[in-house]
Amino acid sequence: MSTSTTPQRRERRRDYRQFLPLVQGATLIEWTGTGLFLAVSTIYFVKVAHLSTSSVGIGLTIGGAVAVLAALPIARLSGRFGPVPVLIGVMLLRSLATLGYLWVAGWWSFLLVVTLIAVTEQSSPPLVQAYVGGRAPESLRAKVMAVQRTVVNLGISLGGLIAGAALGSGSPGAFRTLLIGGAVAYLIVAAVFATSRDRSSAGTVATTGVRELLKDRRLLGFTAYNALVSLWMPVLNVAFPLWLVTATEVPERYVGILYAVNTVLCIALQYPLNRCYHTTRRAWLSYATAAALLSCGALAFAAAPGFGTRGALLTLGGAVVLLTFAELLQVGASWTLSFELAPEGARSAYLVLFNTSRTVANRVAGPVLMTGVVLALGRAGWIALAAVLLLGAFVPLAALRGPRRAGPAERAHAPKARAGH
């Protein structure tokens, strides 16, 4: 190791320690604002905006589909200008869209607002990840992102607690206050990033065309696989509560308790588990483990109705714990492998497109799959889902055994061949 690299490393570590509180503070504010409305959104849509549950579901699905399509132009913008300017624009638009809920007067206005929310909500995490990737040393990226996700969960929990207290007061203007609070939170985040010194893209921003992104088979294949393993989201948010209520004798109040178990475990374990996925090999193994855990969780859900109230509760609790560990491993592994896949000059564009996998799983295909296939078929649906996820667990093992190709990030740093050699 040359002596000149040591001061550079020290300076980069010092720089990352200086920007980290800024990013974490902005993240806490952003996700507290999100948590303010997330916990009560369905109630607002049905009781205040007077929409039917089916129309809300259709609107959310369409909004998610538009968000997937919008990822390509946003990826191009972030590839041209860097993550921070695009992130500021996203936060400003998200603030306006949040206020737009106050004027929802029918399904079409709801669809417009919910689509804008879906587009901006999808775009924010990969842009922040690209910013972190440009500032944090490579060896510390997984740790930094683990801290980030812990802060995200804290913010959502804090926002949910505030929302619960506000609605518990019985004030007719509680929803308006929560929406305004969320909009203000996004404005603050935009202001925080506007005042930051952005070095994440200095000298490395490249114009990344849509064709280049769509021609990268590794990117598209990894994005599709991540969508499969990200099915823990609709399982946890859609299938689990409906299955508990309709197929078991467990009281409804335990839905909230088991959600709390998931949240507490995520906050407590995301950072300690970063060792499981901080290298490429460990990240692939984490994906395999996550898929296997999801498969076991699906089987546990299938078995729960066969027990009495106490047995079903314990079985459902075990399934939620399995899903939580799968969530922690999948999310962490996705940071490592998406960083490895993306070339430095186009990192934000790659990450924005890759993040569409979460939107597909959580908003587009996932809810329909859970309600129209898994829950419709009952135990057979859960068993079929378990079989698919078990097969998915072998994909990372095949990737590790196959010939290893250098990713764009590695090719970008590879030494050029000299003439005559």
Side-chain angles (χ1 to χ4, degrees):
M1 179 186 297
S2 63
T3 55
S4 61
T5 59
T6 302
Q8 293 175 359
R9 283 189 176 183
R10 287 176 179 171
E11 174 157 0
R12 193 160 190 196
R13 283 176 178 264
R14 185 167 55 248
D15 176 63
Y16 122 81
R17 290 193 182 99
Q18 290 173 350
F19 93 89
L20 194 57
L22 177 145
V23 176
Q24 290 173 345
T27 299
L28 182 62
I29 294 170
E30 175 188 352
W31 288 95
T32 299
T34 301
L36 288 176
F37 188 61
L38 188 64
V40 297
S41 57
T42 304
I43 300 173
Y44 179 82
F45 297 148
V46 174
K47 292 192 175 181
V48 179
H50 304 294
L51 299 169
S52 66
T53 54
S54 59
S55 64
V56 169
I58 294 171
L60 292 174
T61 300
I62 294 174
V66 173
V68 172
L69 297 176
L72 289 174
I74 291 174
R76 184 171 177 82
L77 287 172
S78 61
R80 178 181 293 273
F81 300 108
V84 171
V86 181
L87 181 60
I88 293 170
V90 162
M91 285 298 164
L92 293 176
L93 182 59
R94 196 171 175 185
S95 178
L96 289 174
T98 302
L99 288 177
Y101 277 127
L102 295 173
W103 287 276
V104 168
W107 188 79
W108 288 105
S109 57
F110 162 75
L111 179 63
L112 174 63
V113 173
V114 83
T115 299
L116 291 175
I117 290 291
V119 170
T120 56
E121 200 174 77
Q122 172 190 265
S123 303
S124 170
L127 292 171
V128 173
Q129 184 184 355
Y131 178 65
V132 170
R135 301 291 294 268
E138 184 175 353
S139 61
L140 296 176
R141 285 174 183 167
K143 289 184 178 181
V144 173
M145 293 306 299
V147 173
Q148 283 296 106
R149 190 153 192 275
T150 301
V151 174
V152 166
N153 282 308
L154 285 172
I156 292 176
S157 301
L158 179 60
L161 289 173
I162 296 172
L167 293 180
S169 68
S171 171
F175 283 109
R176 177 180 295 271
T177 302
L178 293 174
L179 288 170
I180 294 174
V184 171
Y186 302 137
L187 282 178
I188 294 174
V189 174
V192 169
F193 279 105
T195 58
S196 68
R197 294 182 300 164
D198 178 21
R199 299 180 189 174
S200 60
S201 56
T204 63
V205 175
T207 302
T208 306
V210 171
R211 290 184 180 180
E212 296 175 47
L213 293 172
L214 295 180
K215 284 182 179 179
D216 193 323
R217 293 183 179 179
R218 294 183 75 220
L219 172 64
L220 298 181
F222 182 39
T223 300
Y225 179 70
N226 191 64
L228 172 66
V229 189
S230 295
L231 285 177
W232 61 263
M233 290 187 284
V235 169
L236 186 64
N237 297 326
V238 178
F240 153 62
L242 291 176
W243 186 249
L244 181 147
V245 171
T246 61
T248 74
E249 298 177 0
V250 178
E252 294 181 16
R253 66 178 182 274
Y254 284 101
V255 171
I257 294 173
L258 292 178
Y259 271 135
V261 170
N262 168 262
T263 302
V264 170
L265 288 177
C266 285
I267 293 173
L269 297 178
Q270 188 72 76
Y271 183 80
L273 286 177
N274 79 84
R275 292 180 177 272
C276 295
Y277 45 73
H278 75 282
T279 66
T280 300
R281 178 176 178 79
R282 290 187 179 185
W284 276 120
L285 292 176
S286 291
Y287 262 110
T289 305
L293 290 173
L294 287 174
S295 179
C296 294
L299 292 177
F301 281 122
F307 301 100
T309 302
R310 181 176 296 180
L313 177 59
L314 291 174
T315 305
L316 291 173
V320 169
V321 171
L322 289 171
L323 258 64
T324 302
F325 276 93
E327 170 187 351
L328 293 168
L329 292 174
Q330 178 271 322
V331 171
S334 71
W335 300 327
T336 298
L337 293 180
S338 59
F339 273 132
E340 189 272 338
L341 182 69
E344 186 175 354
R347 181 182 292 128
S348 56
Y350 269 68
L351 293 178
V352 168
L353 183 59
F354 169 71
N355 198 60
T356 60
S357 57
R358 292 175 59 85
T359 304
V360 169
N362 195 34
R363 288 180 177 268
V364 184
V368 175
L369 176 64
M370 293 302 126
T371 57
V373 179
V374 174
L375 295 180
L377 296 177
R379 289 183 177 178
W382 284 111
I383 293 172
L385 178 63
V388 172
L389 290 167
L390 184 60
L391 290 175
F394 290 97
V395 172
L397 303 181
L400 288 173
R401 292 187 63 181
R404 187 178 182 275
R405 292 173 52 193
E410 296 171 303
R411 293 196 296 269
H413 291 91
K416 303 292 184 181
R418 295 182 181 179
H421 291 272

